[in-house]
Amino acid sequence: MEHHGASPGPAGLVAFAVACYTFFGLFIGFVPSTGLPMLSAWLMGGFVVQIIVAKMELEHGELLGGNVFCFFQGFFMLTGAISCFFKWLCPILGVAYDVRVEGLGWGACTLALILWSPAYFKKSNGTFSLAIISTDIALVLISLKDLGFIGGAAVSKVIAFALLIAGTLGIYVASAVQLNSAFGKTVLPLLPPLIKSEASETA
C-alpha cells in the first residue's frame, strides 16, 4: 500500500513565524543592531526547516505551498541570515554597503507573492490568507524602504506590526491544523477561503 507522509506545513508556518517575530523586534527598535548575529542564527534554523517543508510539499503535489516555501527558505531565510550577518560585520570592518540591491531582490519576491496571493485566497483558509495579505504589506514596505523611496520610524513600525500579525496568524493556523487533526473536530476555527469556489456558490 502506498504511503503518503504527513504535511509539514505547520512546521513551516512556525519557522515563518519565528522570522516574523524576530524581524518585528528589529523593526520596532526593541532589538538593536548588535542582535543581528543572533537573528542570523535563528533565520538559519528557519532555512533548515523550510527547505525540508518545501521538498515534502512539492513531493506531495502542493504546487503553490511547495514553491512559496521554496523561495521563502532561499531568500527570506538563507539570504536574510547572510544579509543580517554582513549588516553587523561590515560596519565593524569599515566596509560600506548599499541596501538598494536588497530592495530590488525583495521587490521581485514581493511581486511574485502578490501575484500568487489570489491562489491562496482560493485554495487556503481565510485565516492564512490574512497572514498572506499582512506579509504582502510588510514586503512592499521593506522593498520601498531598502530602495530609499520611503523611510522613518513610522514606516518601520508598520512593517513591524504587519510581520507580527502575519507571524501570529501563521502560528494560529499551524495550531489549528494540529489540534483539529488530533481531536477530530474543530478546536480552533479557521475562516473560509476568501474566494469561494463555484461549487460552493451554487450549492
Side-chain angles (χ1 to χ4, degrees), residues 104-187:
L104 294 171
W106 281 119
C109 292
T110 302
L111 181 59
L113 186 60
I114 289 174
L115 291 176
W116 294 7
S117 290
Y120 272 117
F121 301 161
K122 183 174 177 60
K123 293 187 63 178
S124 299
N125 63 78
T127 308
F128 185 61
S129 292
L130 294 178
I132 293 295
I133 292 171
S134 192
T135 304
D136 287 342
I137 293 170
L139 291 182
V140 167
L141 295 177
I142 290 172
S143 300
L144 294 175
K145 184 175 184 294
D146 283 348
L147 287 169
F149 295 137
I150 59 175
V155 171
S156 294
K157 286 182 179 179
V158 173
I159 294 171
F161 282 104
L163 290 173
L164 181 65
I165 291 169
T168 302
L169 289 172
I171 292 174
Y172 180 88
V173 171
S175 301
V177 171
Q178 295 284 27
L179 295 178
N180 296 351
S181 176
F183 287 92
K185 62 180 182 179
T186 300
V187 178

Side-chain angles (χ1 to χ4, degrees), residues 3 10 15 17 21 27 29 31 38 44 56-57 69 89 95 104 108 110 112 118 133 152 159 166 168 199:
H3 175 71
Y21 273 51
F27 279 107
V31 178
M38 296 299 100
M44 286 301 297
M56 291 184 65
E57 289 278 272
F69 276 121
L89 182 62
V95 177
L104 294 171
T110 302
I133 292 171
I159 294 171
T168 302

Side-chain angles (χ1 to χ4, degrees), residues 52 81 106 108 114 154 188 196:
I52 296 171
W106 281 119
I114 289 174
L188 293 178
K196 296 181 180 179

Side-chain angles (χ1 to χ4, degrees), residues 20-35:
C20 288
Y21 273 51
T22 49
F23 273 115
F24 165 79
L26 194 66
F27 279 107
I28 204 69
F30 178 71
V31 178
S33 60
T34 51

